[in-house]
Amino acid sequence: MKKVKLLSVILLAGICFVACKKDKKEDISLKNYLKVENASFVDGTMPSETPGGACDFSDLTGNSNILAGGANQLLITSSSNITAMMVSIKDVKGYFKLDVTSAKSQYYRLPLLFESNLPKNVFTIQVALCEGTTVSEWRSIDVATIHAGTGKLQVSITWDQLNDVDLHLYEPNQGEHIYYAHRISDAGGELDVDSNPACSIDGINNENITYKDTSNVTVPAGEYEVWVHLWSNCSIPDNTNYVVTARFNGQLIQPTFGTNPYHGFFKPEDYGTEEGLVNVMKFNTSQAKAAGLIEERLQFNFGKSSDNEVAKSKASVAKPDMPHWK
């Protein structure tokens, strides 16, 4: 009898443990994974496809490799007059709804901003479109996080072509220049992801500079400069769209120059010219403030990249130690 009772207690404890794990999983919000610029969050079930609806959703593409604390650009193709987009993650609570106010377009770019502490390293992003009250089918893209640091300070870039785009970070007060040829600074800043070097294509299309969250790493106080360089276009005929983010203690930091996140693009002819070198932002860790993220400050741009109105900060003179070879 004692054995039966003991077995019953064990089974009951096991059921409770499984149920608690299930409840915990269901309680994870989409906000724990990502944010969508200028979108409203809906804490509810994703709307279903409208039976017989005419809302066209031709294609969904994006980078399957992502950085925790970084970004991803989804390219949506539709011939419908889209009035809203909805983004969710499979088996995760809630969705973001982004109203579309631009004129009818065939291409829509949807940048996603990922949190620094992702609940899972592999997950499925789902997107649906609205034309009025009609909801399209849900399209999905599977993504996996790259092994990279987030740390006390993290600066990242993602781009959408198979070419060589480089991320550069200048430390304050004539400090060190972190980039592919000088990956680790004395302070501990490190370029730990370098993608498509010299057109040796790995398809990761992300770069990351981080200061680890350890006692032996100190983030230098003062103003940092972030530069982006089209090192080689690798014979790509299309524009290269990119997004740069900077996080301090896990939060997007308010820049002193530029925007954060920064959205930009290179034209193929920018390679080897001044246009291929851009000072995208500056930020000061001594005056760190969180960026006004969703409703207040960031802007969203739709349409083909050639029609993108994002202003590029042109460098009149390249940094003196900025090499043009690899």
Side-chain angles (χ1 to χ4, degrees):
M1 180 64 71
K2 287 183 179 180
K3 288 184 178 180
V4 173
K5 287 184 177 179
L6 179 61
L7 181 60
S8 299
V9 170
I10 293 173
L11 288 174
L12 184 61
I15 293 170
C16 181
F17 176 74
V18 172
C20 290
K21 284 190 69 178
K22 183 178 179 182
D23 289 342
K24 186 175 181 181
K25 178 181 177 182
E26 290 178 346
D27 285 341
I28 295 175
S29 170
L30 182 61
K31 290 182 177 181
N32 295 115
Y33 283 88
L34 59 85
K35 291 182 175 65
V36 180
E37 301 174 85
N38 298 322
S40 57
F41 177 72
V42 181
D43 188 13
T45 305
M46 303 180 301
S48 302
E49 176 184 354
T50 303
C55 184
D56 168 63
F57 196 161
S58 302
D59 199 14
L60 171 68
T61 58
N63 197 342
S64 60
N65 302 293
I66 64 169
L67 293 172
N72 195 1
Q73 297 184 100
L74 303 184
L75 175 61
I76 294 165
T77 308
S78 174
S79 61
S80 297
N81 189 14
I82 301 304
T83 56
M85 301 180 185
M86 291 169 289
V87 181
S88 186
I89 291 177
K90 186 178 180 181
D91 299 327
V92 175
K93 290 178 60 178
Y95 63 94
F96 283 101
K97 183 177 181 181
L98 178 66
D99 292 328
V100 178
T101 57
S102 63
K104 181 178 179 179
S105 174
Q106 185 179 359
Y107 302 100
Y108 299 86
R109 291 197 175 275
L110 181 58
L112 310 180
L113 305 176
F114 295 106
E115 295 300 307
S116 298
N117 298 305
L118 295 172
K120 288 185 178 181
N121 291 325
V122 178
F123 49 91
T124 300
I125 298 171
Q126 298 178 313
V127 179
L129 310 178
C130 288
E131 183 178 10
T133 58
T134 301
V135 179
S136 74
E137 63 178 324
W138 283 85
R139 294 292 185 98
S140 63
I141 178 171
D142 296 326
V143 297
T145 55
I146 306 163
H147 180 69
T150 52
K152 302 173 184 176
L153 175 62
Q154 179 188 11
V155 181
S156 307
I157 183 173
T158 182
W159 66 96
D160 65 355
Q161 299 293 344
L162 295 177
N163 51 12
D164 188 358
V165 177
D166 284 327
L167 180 65
H168 297 254
L169 181 66
Y170 289 85
E171 292 182 341
N173 306 317
Q174 304 300 313
E176 293 181 72
H177 169 199
I178 304 171
Y179 67 117
Y180 61 83
H182 183 65
R183 291 173 178 260
I184 303 177
S185 73
D186 290 342
E190 178 182 0
L191 174 71
D192 61 359
V193 179
D194 179 21
S195 180
N196 302 337
C199 296
S200 178
I201 304 301
D202 54 34
I204 292 175
N205 289 23
N206 284 273
E207 294 205 353
N208 190 66
I209 295 173
T210 184
Y211 292 73
K212 295 179 181 178
D213 192 11
T214 56
S215 58
N216 63 330
V217 174
T218 301
V219 178
E223 187 171 74
Y224 290 74
E225 292 187 25
V226 183
W227 292 65
V228 175
H229 184 208
L230 180 62
W231 191 90
S232 178
N233 198 47
C234 306
S235 302
I236 296 296
D238 300 319
N239 289 355
T240 301
N241 296 275
Y242 62 88
V243 180
V244 181
T245 55
R247 290 181 180 269
F248 187 57
N249 292 327
Q251 301 299 315
L252 289 170
I253 187 171
Q254 179 71 49
T256 56
F257 166 82
T259 60
N260 184 21
Y262 181 93
H263 303 268
F265 67 90
F266 291 120
K267 298 177 181 179
E269 58 267 28
D270 291 343
Y271 167 59
T273 72
E274 183 182 290
E275 300 290 334
L277 178 64
V278 185
N279 182 196
V280 298
M281 76 173 80
K282 299 178 184 179
F283 57 85
N284 195 316
T285 55
S286 302
Q287 306 167 359
K289 295 181 180 179
L293 178 58
I294 300 299
E295 295 84 8
E296 297 179 1
R297 192 183 55 80
L298 294 177
Q299 295 182 351
F300 189 88
N301 294 277
F302 296 97
K304 294 184 179 180
S305 57
S306 59
D307 298 326
N308 193 329
E309 296 299 328
V310 175
K312 293 174 64 177
S313 304
K314 302 176 183 178
S316 57
V317 180
K319 282 282 186 176
D321 58 346
M322 181 76 74
H324 292 271
W325 61 88
K326 182 177 288 188

